[in-house]
Amino acid sequence: GGEGGGGVRSGGGEGRRRRGWRRGGDQHADRPGPARLLHLLRAPLPSPLPECQNGHVACLSCWSRLSNKCHVCSHDAIFARNIALEKIVESIKSSCAYAKWGCCELVSYTQRNTHEETCLFAPSTCPIPGCGYRGFTGRWSGHFLVDHHSADFLHFVYGQPFEVNLEASLPFLVLLGEDDHLFLLLNKNMTPFGHAFSVVCLRTGDLNWKFSYEIEAASTRNPENCLQLKASVTNAKEWAGLRPTKAFLLVPYDFCSSTNLTLNLSIGRSASV
């Protein structure tokens, strides 16, 4: 990001624009005050803020892209810090980008990106293809009950085993916990070996809970033959497509019918230390 300013004469004496920066005009033309500063910044403006010999400011990243030539007067950067402007930027606070989802935090401009990366109200996109709904923990159940078919999801209680009957061709099944956390039982077809099953939780923000799961698959031909896995649930902001997590249960094709897969699953919840 950078700050445009006047103070340099151009050939015609009239203000001209180049790459969005003002050139020409008198010494005080279009100097931004604190109230307008955020609207003039094109990108986050982290400290330190070096200036050229005429007092024009840009961040270190912009100076590098400009080959250390001032975007206003073309003088070389002298890399003296503009402490006053740094203090102004640091003092500015604004609403979180997820305010419409319920976040009431007033965030320092310099800490905005850090806050939004971990904000409890940062929404995730519904994993159902073509949906596009963006929500977060606390609103998933309402969304699925209103906008999706009952076959698209399954409610469960933590610590209690439940049976899942899944079509072999489906890439995942949505599981909704009693506290409205959204989980995905992933089903990756690993030709020619079988199906790789794992569990992920779509969530962002402060991870107050740790989740684990146990999954068991029994052979349809010989129920005494079974496979089991106990693993931690992987956290993800979005579902980015078919891929097994680091831990997964590989169920051979001989264990299941050609169209359906039956699994016994249990998801546990414990407080993060």
XYZ file of all heavy atoms in Angstrom, residues 169-235:
530
model
N -20.773 -44.572 -4.549
C -20.354 -43.527 -5.486
C -20.299 -42.134 -4.867
O -19.763 -41.204 -5.475
C -21.298 -43.503 -6.695
O -22.633 -43.224 -6.273
N -20.866 -41.960 -3.653
C -20.894 -40.635 -3.029
C -19.527 -40.276 -2.458
O -18.919 -41.086 -1.750
C -21.947 -40.578 -1.925
C -23.408 -40.620 -2.361
C -24.322 -40.558 -1.143
C -23.717 -39.469 -3.316
N -19.042 -39.060 -2.718
C -17.713 -38.671 -2.223
C -17.683 -38.377 -0.727
O -16.627 -38.425 -0.111
C -17.379 -37.420 -3.032
C -18.713 -36.841 -3.397
C -19.626 -38.025 -3.602
N -18.838 -38.039 -0.138
C -18.875 -37.751 1.298
C -20.313 -37.774 1.805
O -21.266 -37.713 1.032
C -18.244 -36.392 1.620
C -18.966 -35.213 1.019
C -20.083 -34.657 1.641
C -18.536 -34.659 -0.168
C -20.748 -33.574 1.093
C -19.199 -33.579 -0.733
C -20.306 -33.039 -0.101
N -20.429 -37.838 3.128
C -21.718 -37.698 3.796
C -21.553 -36.644 4.869
O -20.573 -36.651 5.629
C -22.153 -39.018 4.432
C -23.455 -38.982 5.250
C -24.655 -38.692 4.348
C -23.662 -40.283 6.012
N -22.508 -35.707 4.952
C -22.478 -34.660 5.966
C -22.988 -35.214 7.295
O -24.055 -35.834 7.350
C -23.341 -33.448 5.543
C -23.453 -32.427 6.679
C -22.745 -32.783 4.302
N -22.221 -34.988 8.365
C -22.602 -35.396 9.715
C -22.682 -34.149 10.587
O -21.745 -33.364 10.631
C -21.557 -36.366 10.288
C -21.215 -37.598 9.436
C -20.039 -38.347 10.051
C -22.426 -38.511 9.303
N -23.809 -33.960 11.276
C -24.012 -32.791 12.121
C -24.033 -33.205 13.583
O -24.866 -34.000 14.011
C -25.325 -32.083 11.761
C -25.353 -31.413 10.382
C -26.753 -30.922 10.062
C -24.368 -30.255 10.336
N -23.076 -32.652 14.370
C -23.004 -32.955 15.783
C -24.104 -32.269 16.564
O -24.763 -31.344 16.072
N -24.286 -32.683 17.809
C -25.342 -32.109 18.648
C -25.106 -30.629 18.941
O -26.047 -29.897 19.279
C -25.438 -32.891 19.957
C -24.131 -32.922 20.742
C -24.160 -33.950 21.859
O -24.851 -33.703 22.859
O -23.513 -34.998 21.707
N -23.837 -30.162 18.828
C -23.524 -28.751 19.021
C -23.441 -28.008 17.700
O -22.961 -26.879 17.643
C -22.215 -28.594 19.790
C -21.043 -29.266 19.085
O -21.265 -29.882 18.024
O -19.908 -29.185 19.596
N -23.874 -28.642 16.622
C -23.966 -28.065 15.281
C -22.634 -27.990 14.545
O -22.536 -27.355 13.508
C -24.614 -26.676 15.312
C -25.217 -26.304 13.964
O -26.077 -27.052 13.480
O -24.811 -25.282 13.387
N -21.581 -28.619 15.055
C -20.370 -28.729 14.254
C -20.646 -29.607 13.041
O -21.371 -30.600 13.123
C -19.222 -29.334 15.073
C -18.473 -28.323 15.873
N -18.774 -28.029 17.189
C -17.421 -27.521 15.550
C -17.940 -27.099 17.640
N -17.120 -26.779 16.667
N -20.053 -29.221 11.900
C -20.289 -29.930 10.649
C -19.072 -30.807 10.329
O -17.946 -30.311 10.224
C -20.541 -28.945 9.511
C -20.987 -29.536 8.162
C -21.833 -28.515 7.405
C -19.807 -29.954 7.294
N -19.319 -32.098 10.171
C -18.281 -33.059 9.831
C -18.581 -33.663 8.464
O -19.737 -33.710 8.031
C -18.213 -34.189 10.869
C -17.876 -33.744 12.251
C -18.881 -33.269 13.099
C -16.572 -33.800 12.722
C -18.578 -32.858 14.391
C -16.260 -33.391 14.006
C -17.261 -32.925 14.839
N -17.531 -34.122 7.801
C -17.681 -34.838 6.542
C -17.026 -36.206 6.677
O -15.849 -36.302 7.051
C -17.015 -34.075 5.393
C -17.555 -32.690 5.043
C -16.730 -32.079 3.912
C -19.020 -32.750 4.658
N -17.794 -37.248 6.391
C -17.236 -38.582 6.262
C -16.807 -38.729 4.805
O -17.638 -38.819 3.906
C -18.270 -39.649 6.628
C -17.860 -41.109 6.364
C -16.623 -41.490 7.171
C -19.014 -42.046 6.661
N -15.499 -38.683 4.562
C -14.985 -38.696 3.198
C -14.853 -40.124 2.682
O -14.431 -41.027 3.408
C -13.610 -38.009 3.143
C -13.547 -36.554 3.601
C -12.132 -36.016 3.422
C -14.550 -35.697 2.856
N -15.206 -40.303 1.427
C -15.148 -41.601 0.768
C -14.363 -41.446 -0.533
O -14.889 -40.955 -1.532
C -16.565 -42.117 0.490
C -16.562 -43.346 -0.402
O -15.590 -44.096 -0.451
N -17.672 -43.547 -1.107
N -13.096 -41.828 -0.503
C -12.238 -41.711 -1.680
C -12.047 -43.081 -2.301
O -11.546 -44.014 -1.663
C -10.884 -41.126 -1.269
C -9.813 -41.166 -2.360
C -10.169 -40.278 -3.540
C -9.003 -40.223 -4.528
N -9.327 -39.447 -5.730
N -12.448 -43.214 -3.568
C -12.286 -44.472 -4.290
C -10.822 -44.607 -4.722
O -10.338 -43.848 -5.561
C -13.208 -44.497 -5.509
C -13.290 -45.877 -6.137
O -12.486 -46.752 -5.844
N -14.266 -46.068 -7.006
N -10.122 -45.581 -4.134
C -8.690 -45.765 -4.382
C -8.483 -46.983 -5.279
O -8.037 -48.048 -4.834
C -7.945 -45.939 -3.058
C -8.154 -44.820 -2.062
S -7.203 -43.341 -2.449
C -5.561 -43.871 -1.957
N -8.857 -46.847 -6.544
C -8.687 -47.943 -7.500
C -7.209 -48.327 -7.612
O -6.362 -47.445 -7.704
C -9.226 -47.510 -8.881
O -10.574 -47.057 -8.747
C -9.170 -48.653 -9.872
N -6.876 -49.604 -7.562
C -7.741 -50.806 -7.536
C -7.864 -51.424 -6.149
O -8.165 -52.605 -6.030
C -6.968 -51.749 -8.463
C -5.526 -51.447 -8.141
C -5.475 -49.962 -7.847
N -7.618 -50.623 -5.095
C -7.525 -51.199 -3.756
C -8.850 -51.226 -3.000
O -9.211 -52.215 -2.379
C -6.483 -50.434 -2.938
C -5.150 -50.354 -3.606
C -4.711 -49.172 -4.175
C -4.344 -51.476 -3.699
C -3.483 -49.096 -4.809
C -3.105 -51.417 -4.324
C -2.676 -50.224 -4.880
N -9.577 -50.126 -3.001
C -10.818 -50.059 -2.243
C -11.205 -48.626 -1.958
O -10.848 -47.700 -2.708
N -11.913 -48.407 -0.838
C -12.388 -47.087 -0.446
C -11.613 -46.604 0.779
O -11.467 -47.334 1.760
C -13.885 -47.120 -0.126
C -14.746 -47.446 -1.306
N -15.287 -46.488 -2.121
C -15.145 -48.647 -1.818
C -15.998 -47.059 -3.075
N -15.923 -48.377 -2.928
N -11.142 -45.355 0.726
C -10.434 -44.750 1.851
C -11.399 -43.831 2.599
O -11.920 -42.868 2.027
C -9.227 -43.957 1.368
N -11.651 -44.124 3.884
C -12.597 -43.344 4.688
C -11.840 -42.531 5.743
O -10.919 -43.028 6.402
C -13.599 -44.262 5.389
C -14.535 -44.960 4.451
C -14.312 -46.279 4.085
C -15.639 -44.301 3.929
C -15.160 -46.937 3.213
C -16.503 -44.948 3.054
C -16.270 -46.263 2.696
N -12.262 -41.285 5.906
C -11.697 -40.421 6.945
C -12.734 -39.364 7.303
O -13.751 -39.206 6.612
C -10.397 -39.763 6.473
O -10.602 -39.036 5.273
N -12.479 -38.634 8.384
C -13.436 -37.634 8.874
C -12.739 -36.285 9.016
O -11.644 -36.196 9.576
C -14.036 -38.058 10.233
C -14.968 -36.965 10.774
C -14.798 -39.377 10.092
N -13.388 -35.242 8.497
C -12.901 -33.868 8.664
C -14.014 -33.023 9.277
O -15.205 -33.358 9.156
C -12.442 -33.236 7.338
C -11.319 -34.037 6.711
C -13.606 -33.089 6.369
N -13.625 -31.938 9.930
C -14.582 -30.983 10.512
C -14.377 -29.638 9.851
O -13.252 -29.117 9.812
C -14.367 -30.868 12.019
S -15.506 -29.714 12.843
N -15.452 -29.064 9.287
C -15.371 -27.744 8.683
C -15.578 -26.704 9.771
O -16.699 -26.516 10.265
C -16.432 -27.573 7.592
C -16.293 -28.408 6.325
C -17.280 -27.929 5.277
C -14.875 -28.350 5.774
N -14.511 -26.021 10.143
C -14.623 -24.985 11.170
C -13.426 -24.064 11.092
O -12.369 -24.409 10.579
C -14.723 -25.595 12.569
C -13.544 -26.471 12.980
C -13.690 -26.875 14.435
N -12.633 -27.763 14.876
C -12.337 -27.982 16.154
N -13.033 -27.375 17.107
N -11.365 -28.807 16.494
N -13.612 -22.848 11.630
C -12.552 -21.854 11.700
C -12.542 -21.269 13.105
O -13.366 -21.613 13.954
C -12.793 -20.722 10.681
O -14.086 -20.137 10.928
C -12.763 -21.247 9.254
N -11.603 -20.368 13.326
C -11.583 -19.653 14.593
C -10.946 -20.424 15.724
O -10.144 -21.329 15.535
N -11.323 -20.044 16.945
C -10.747 -20.628 18.144
C -11.218 -22.075 18.279
O -12.407 -22.339 18.405
C -11.185 -19.811 19.361
C -10.450 -20.232 20.625
O -9.471 -20.997 20.503
O -10.854 -19.796 21.715
N -10.285 -23.008 18.256
C -10.635 -24.424 18.283
C -10.759 -24.889 19.736
O -9.828 -25.453 20.316
C -9.584 -25.230 17.522
C -9.308 -24.750 16.087
C -8.288 -25.652 15.423
C -10.584 -24.682 15.278
N -11.920 -24.642 20.337
C -12.126 -24.957 21.752
C -12.301 -26.443 22.017
O -12.169 -26.890 23.151
C -13.365 -24.205 22.282
C -13.153 -22.713 22.296
O -12.086 -22.245 22.660
N -14.173 -21.963 21.901
N -12.622 -27.195 20.977
C -12.864 -28.619 21.146
C -11.917 -29.427 20.272
O -11.573 -29.027 19.162
C -14.310 -28.973 20.763
C -15.344 -28.318 21.608
C -16.096 -27.225 21.283
C -15.749 -28.710 22.928
N -16.949 -26.909 22.319
C -16.757 -27.811 23.344
C -15.370 -29.726 23.795
C -17.376 -27.896 24.580
C -15.984 -29.817 25.029
C -16.976 -28.914 25.413
N -11.510 -30.576 20.783
C -10.776 -31.557 19.995
C -11.722 -32.700 19.681
O -12.495 -33.126 20.539
C -9.555 -32.074 20.768
C -8.472 -31.045 20.996
C -7.193 -31.704 21.497
C -7.415 -32.468 22.797
N -6.150 -33.072 23.299
N -11.652 -33.206 18.460
C -12.531 -34.296 18.046
C -11.693 -35.496 17.602
O -10.630 -35.350 17.001
C -13.440 -33.855 16.898
C -14.343 -32.706 17.241
C -14.078 -31.428 16.772
C -15.447 -32.898 18.051
C -14.906 -30.364 17.090
C -16.286 -31.841 18.380
C -16.007 -30.565 17.897
N -12.205 -36.661 17.903
C -11.596 -37.911 17.445
C -12.708 -38.817 16.933
O -13.898 -38.574 17.189
C -10.823 -38.587 18.589
O -11.698 -38.909 19.652
N -12.337 -39.855 16.215
C -13.362 -40.756 15.701
C -12.842 -42.182 15.655
O -11.636 -42.436 15.566
C -13.852 -40.310 14.321
C -12.847 -40.438 13.204
C -12.859 -41.522 12.332
C -11.885 -39.448 12.990
C -11.946 -41.634 11.292
C -10.972 -39.535 11.958
C -11.005 -40.636 11.109
O -10.095 -40.743 10.079
N -13.776 -43.114 15.735
C -13.509 -44.534 15.551
C -14.427 -45.025 14.447
O -15.626 -44.727 14.439
C -13.771 -45.318 16.837
C -12.829 -44.961 17.987
C -13.055 -45.836 19.204
O -13.265 -47.058 19.021
O -13.034 -45.300 20.324
N -13.842 -45.756 13.522
C -14.611 -46.240 12.381
C -14.306 -47.730 12.190
O -13.168 -48.167 12.354
C -14.268 -45.420 11.108
C -15.192 -45.796 9.958
C -12.814 -45.552 10.729
C -15.055 -44.841 8.768
N -15.360 -48.486 11.883
C -15.217 -49.932 11.723
C -15.979 -50.372 10.491
O -17.103 -49.926 10.244
C -15.743 -50.664 12.957
C -15.669 -52.187 12.852
C -16.236 -52.878 14.074
O -15.668 -52.731 15.178
O -17.285 -53.551 13.930
N -15.351 -51.230 9.728
C -15.998 -51.810 8.547
C -15.903 -53.330 8.623
O -14.821 -53.884 8.851
C -15.326 -51.310 7.273
N -17.037 -54.014 8.456
C -17.083 -55.477 8.487
C -17.340 -56.006 7.079
O -18.058 -55.383 6.286
C -18.167 -55.960 9.444
N -16.765 -57.131 6.780
C -16.948 -57.737 5.469
C -18.384 -58.216 5.303
O -18.962 -58.834 6.211
C -15.980 -58.913 5.298
O -16.277 -59.648 4.130
N -18.975 -57.936 4.161
C -20.343 -58.408 3.903
C -20.360 -59.925 3.683
O -21.378 -60.573 3.921
C -20.924 -57.699 2.661
O -20.033 -57.887 1.552
C -21.096 -56.215 2.928
N -19.238 -60.483 3.248
C -19.167 -61.921 2.998
C -18.875 -62.696 4.279
O -19.389 -63.784 4.487
C -18.083 -62.210 1.960
C -18.365 -61.593 0.598
C -17.259 -61.916 -0.390
N -17.520 -61.327 -1.702
C -16.699 -61.445 -2.744
N -15.573 -62.147 -2.615
N -17.003 -60.878 -3.885
N -18.044 -62.120 5.135
C -17.692 -62.780 6.392
C -17.625 -61.715 7.481
O -16.586 -61.079 7.681
C -16.353 -63.495 6.266
C -16.037 -64.327 7.497
O -16.752 -64.275 8.502
N -14.953 -65.091 7.435
N -18.739 -61.490 8.197
C -18.810 -60.419 9.201
C -17.766 -60.520 10.304
O -17.520 -59.533 11.007
C -20.231 -60.571 9.772
C -21.002 -61.258 8.695
C -20.022 -62.185 8.054
N -17.142 -61.697 10.476
C -16.116 -61.809 11.494
C -14.835 -61.067 11.098
O -14.013 -60.745 11.953
C -15.803 -63.290 11.757
C -16.960 -64.053 12.402
C -16.584 -65.492 12.693
O -15.447 -65.895 12.334
O -17.421 -66.211 13.273
N -14.692 -60.810 9.811
C -13.544 -60.037 9.332
C -13.897 -58.548 9.370
O -14.852 -58.117 8.725
C -13.171 -60.437 7.906
C -12.672 -61.860 7.827
O -12.155 -62.401 8.812
N -12.827 -62.485 6.662
N -13.159 -57.806 10.138
C -13.463 -56.379 10.231
C -12.166 -55.565 10.306
O -11.119 -56.065 10.718
C -14.365 -56.076 11.426
S -13.613 -56.389 13.021
N -12.287 -54.313 9.917
C -11.180 -53.360 9.960
C -11.588 -52.196 10.840
O -12.748 -51.753 10.816
C -10.848 -52.863 8.550
C -10.397 -53.920 7.540
C -10.359 -53.325 6.142
C -9.022 -54.454 7.928
N -10.632 -51.650 11.611
C -10.933 -50.554 12.529
C -9.861 -49.482 12.439
O -8.697 -49.753 12.142
C -11.014 -51.058 13.973
C -12.168 -52.006 14.257
C -12.139 -52.498 15.688
O -11.088 -52.865 16.224
N -13.304 -52.517 16.333
N -10.282 -48.260 12.719
C -9.353 -47.128 12.787
C -9.812 -46.176 13.881
O -11.005 -45.887 14.007
C -9.303 -46.373 11.451
C -8.527 -45.042 11.465
C -7.021 -45.295 11.597
C -8.822 -44.223 10.206
N -8.861 -45.707 14.679
C -9.113 -44.655 15.651
C -8.147 -43.525 15.346
O -6.928 -43.739 15.300
C -8.916 -45.160 17.079
C -9.232 -44.109 18.142
C -9.126 -44.696 19.541
C -9.504 -43.647 20.583
N -9.422 -44.202 21.968
N -8.676 -42.317 15.122
C -7.816 -41.208 14.696
C -8.409 -39.881 15.130
O -9.587 -39.790 15.522
C -7.643 -41.235 13.174
N -7.599 -38.834 15.057
C -8.069 -37.467 15.327
C -8.759 -36.920 14.091
O -8.356 -37.201 12.957
C -6.891 -36.567 15.706
O -6.275 -37.005 16.901
N -9.787 -36.118 14.325
C -10.493 -35.474 13.217
C -9.631 -34.333 12.674
O -9.069 -33.545 13.424
C -11.861 -34.935 13.682
C -12.512 -34.094 12.586
C -12.774 -36.089 14.080
N -9.517 -34.262 11.364
C -8.784 -33.181 10.702
C -9.685 -31.961 10.568
O -10.858 -32.081 10.210
C -8.312 -33.632 9.304
O -7.457 -34.768 9.442
C -7.559 -32.519 8.604
N -9.144 -30.772 10.870
C -9.901 -29.523 10.722
C -9.611 -28.885 9.369
O -8.481 -28.924 8.877
C -9.527 -28.536 11.830
C -9.907 -29.050 13.202
O -11.037 -29.454 13.432
N -8.952 -29.042 14.125
